[in-house]
DNA sequence: AGACCGCCTAGGAGGACCGT
DNA sequence: ACGGTCCTCCTAGGCGGTCT
């Protein structure tokens, strides 16, 4: 596994980090290819979300069993209002809304608020800004955890507001595009040798609400630096994420002691800064967005405790 | 001022549930 | 076998109040 540099030359990254030159567009300078224009849909999608938020467009839960689609459906209506075509998302598709006609997709994460603030479960897909050639944007929407105050409209149908929302490029969560984790299992466990241990892709990732200050109660778009925002948007912050000194490239688990040991290597891109810009719709709040103060990671703490320096 | 105690909560960990 | 989301349980640690 290797973390991808910010200025890597693969085509899609070049599209992201090339020379911006018009509203929401950026020049892709390919290898011996004609320059190609790539337009992002994010500014339009974000504008629709912001307008819906400010107009009080509610989330509509269709039943008490609807634990995961209520916010997805809210976002789906915004895509439809933006006039975008997308593939209907099945339960197991990633991203939730792959666009048709654009190499972009949106992955939606609904979070009850108050609730988990610092991180979210990202099972089965390691967050990143590129998947199968598509740029991936994460849509974090928070809604009330306590729905008791909202009237039941038969069979658990309820309407309630969006508390706040952040759309961020997946690279804001993780800029590595190279790693592909697959689930594996080990057979023969247990005294009868007939139990299977699953090693399953399950990740816990910090939310943009924890990574950046100034997002609570707001609508915020976080884009890689370099896009030219349309006139209807205002910049509300510059955000930087710095690559870690070390990369976890494996781990071993001792079934006798229940000890899990990470294997780390120096990050060839250590210290590389990835720059992002935060936006809001003009006329809405200009409350600034900035990175939250750095908290030491578990790996940082282990490094200090163990004092190893491979 | 520092020690101690109890309460509270964020979040770590594991799992339920429902699905393809 | 694998995927997505939310729930429950539990505990470390923060915090405020009280005691020494």
């Amino acid at each position: 596994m290797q973390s991808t540099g910010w200025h890597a030359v693969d085509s899609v990254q070049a599209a992201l980090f090339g020379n911006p030159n018009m509203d929401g567009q950026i020049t892709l300078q390919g290898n011996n290819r004609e320059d190609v224009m790539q337009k992002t849909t994010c500014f339009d999608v974000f504008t629709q979300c912001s307008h819906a938020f400010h107009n009080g467009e509610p989330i509509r839960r269709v039943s008490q069993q609807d634990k995961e689609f209520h916010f997805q459906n809210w976002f789906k209506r915004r895509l439809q209002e933006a006039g975008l075509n997308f593939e209907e998302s099945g339960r197991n598709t990633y991203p939730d809304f792959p666009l048709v006609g654009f190499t972009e997709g949106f992955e939606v994460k609904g979070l009850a608020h108050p609730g988990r603030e610092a991180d979210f479960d990202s099972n089965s897909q390691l967050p990143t800004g590129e998947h199968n050639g598509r740029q991936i944007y994460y849509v974090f929407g928070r809604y009330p955890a306590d729905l008791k105050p909202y009237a039941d409209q038969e069979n658990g149908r309820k309407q309630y507001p969006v508390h706040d929302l952040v759309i961020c490029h997946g690279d804001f969560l993780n800029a590595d595009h190279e790693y592909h984790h697959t689930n594996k299992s080990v057979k023969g466990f247990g005294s009868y040798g007939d139990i299977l241990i699953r090693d399953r892709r399950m990740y816990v990732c910090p939310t943009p609400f924890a990574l950046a200050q100034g997002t609570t109660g707001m609508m915020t778009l976080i884009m890689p630096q370099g896009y030219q925002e349309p006139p209807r948007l205002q910049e509300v912050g510059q955000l930087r994420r710095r690559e870690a000194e070390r990369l976890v490239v494996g781990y071993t688990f001792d079934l006798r002691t229940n000890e899990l040991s990470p294997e780390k290597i120096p990050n060839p891109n250590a210290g590389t800064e990835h720059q992002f810009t935060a936006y809001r719709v003009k006329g809405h709040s200009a409350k600034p967005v900035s990175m939250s103060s750095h908290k030491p990671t578990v790996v940082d703490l282990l490094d200090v405790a163990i004092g190893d320096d491979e």
Side-chain angles (χ1 to χ4, degrees), chain A residues 213-285:
Chain A
Q213 296 176 327
T215 52
T216 299
M218 302 283 158
M219 307 295 282
T220 310
L221 172 65
I222 299 175
M223 295 287 284
Q225 206 175 58
Y227 281 96
Q228 171 140 22
E229 77 272 21
R232 64 183 179 279
L233 295 188
Q234 57 178 328
E235 181 183 324
V236 291
Q238 289 289 324
L239 306 173
R240 293 181 178 190
R241 297 213 67 189
R242 180 189 291 263
E243 291 213 16
E245 293 301 313
R246 316 272 295 278
L247 296 174
V248 173
V249 293
Y251 56 83
T252 56
F253 184 76
D254 190 322
L255 294 164
R256 296 159 298 190
T257 62
N258 286 331
E259 281 182 13
L260 193 149
S261 308
E263 178 192 352
K264 289 171 283 172
I265 62 167
N267 181 357
N269 300 311
T272 302
E273 286 197 335
H274 298 237
Q275 301 188 32
F276 301 86
T277 306
Y279 299 101
R280 287 208 191 90
V281 171
K282 277 182 184 166
H284 295 172
S285 170

Side-chain angles (χ1 to χ4, degrees), chain A residues 62 73 93 95 122 144 147 185 195 213 218 251 257 260 274 302:
Chain A
V62 296
N73 288 335
T93 60
S122 182
L147 297 183
S185 58
I195 296 173
Q213 296 176 327
M218 302 283 158
Y251 56 83
T257 62
L260 193 149
H274 298 237
L302 278 172

